Amino acid sequence: MVRATRPSMSTVSTDKLLQADAGLPSGWEVRHSNSKNLPYFFNASSKESRWEPPEGTDVDKLKAYMAQNTRKPEGKIHAAHLLVKHRDSRRPGSWKEPTITRTKEEAIEILKGHERRIQSGETSLGDLAQTESDCSSARKNGDLGIFGKGEMQKEFEEVAFALEPGQVSGVVDTASGVHLIQR
């Protein structure tokens, strides 16, 4: 006869410590959806669950926690980006601007300004992406989720896979526009 065992107190304590490192507000924890095979956020006291991080989350701590505590399928990576489109982008419009008229050179200069702010520690790529990215992923701090080779544009993919976790790229030019990528 096999008996089910409860987690030991040391296991529970370790889990609570790990959750504290996730940068989530008090009462929130990261759980995993078996049906969607994705992480979600759960508040044990209110029983609220949601796909997006709750208000007051330290996004940088959460990204570091997720990178350390989630398994990625073999050969896949997790990345975020900030996209600045220009008039020659394959779709020169976005949620911010229906018609984008800036030149590619102007887009690169804007992106280089964002890159300087990130490198100086003034802000993070995720925080900037929320307001400055021309991609719909802006609402998720630029998060593109987990992807493998052959799923993104070649230029984007080559740079993303070459980055170390946490590292931010320089300017990357694709048919979509110019990007900063964070792995």
Side-chain angles (χ1 to χ4, degrees):
M1 179 163 133
V2 177
R3 288 189 181 192
T5 59
R6 290 184 174 189
S8 70
M9 199 54 171
S10 61
T11 304
V12 172
S13 299
T14 302
D15 289 345
K16 294 291 184 201
L17 288 174
L18 288 175
Q19 291 292 327
D21 292 342
L24 295 170
S26 180
W28 286 91
E29 57 190 63
V30 179
R31 292 198 174 175
H32 189 82
S33 166
N34 291 326
S35 62
K36 294 195 181 281
N37 197 27
L38 293 170
Y40 68 96
F41 305 93
F42 182 74
N43 185 308
S45 58
S46 69
K47 306 294 185 221
E48 179 184 356
S49 64
R50 57 189 306 172
W51 294 108
E52 300 294 324
E55 181 113 5
T57 297
D58 181 326
V59 177
D60 293 325
K61 273 187 170 182
L62 179 60
K63 282 184 181 179
Y65 172 84
M66 297 301 280
Q68 290 288 323
N69 295 288
T70 57
R71 290 191 187 124
K72 291 171 207 55
E74 192 71 28
K76 295 196 177 217
I77 63 168
H78 184 237
H81 78 139
L82 190 160
L83 170 66
V84 178
K85 291 184 175 185
H86 50 81
R87 66 180 172 219
D88 297 321
S89 296
R90 68 179 177 181
R91 283 194 287 264
S94 76
W95 65 275
K96 289 176 21 173
E97 293 177 75
T99 304
I100 294 174
T101 59
R102 74 179 68 89
T103 66
K104 182 177 182 178
E105 293 72 27
E106 290 169 327
I108 290 170
E109 284 309 309
I110 291 167
L111 202 61
K112 284 182 177 180
H114 297 328
E115 182 181 21
R116 284 189 292 275
R117 291 181 64 201
I118 293 166
Q119 287 175 341
S120 74
E122 175 188 339
T123 190
S124 68
L125 183 138
D127 287 344
L128 267 178
Q130 288 180 28
T131 57
E132 304 303 319
S133 183
D134 286 317
C135 181
S136 61
S137 68
R139 69 181 186 282
K140 298 183 291 181
N141 301 323
D143 192 342
L144 296 170
I146 296 171
F147 57 89
K149 292 193 174 186
E151 295 179 44
M152 297 289 180
Q153 293 173 15
K154 185 176 180 5
E155 305 87 353
F156 186 98
E157 179 182 290
E158 287 174 354
V159 173
F161 274 84
L163 294 170
E164 294 295 322
Q167 186 178 11
V168 178
S169 73
V171 175
V172 178
D173 185 14
T174 72
S176 297
V178 291
H179 314 250
L180 292 177
I181 306 168
Q182 182 173 25
R183 181 160 168 199

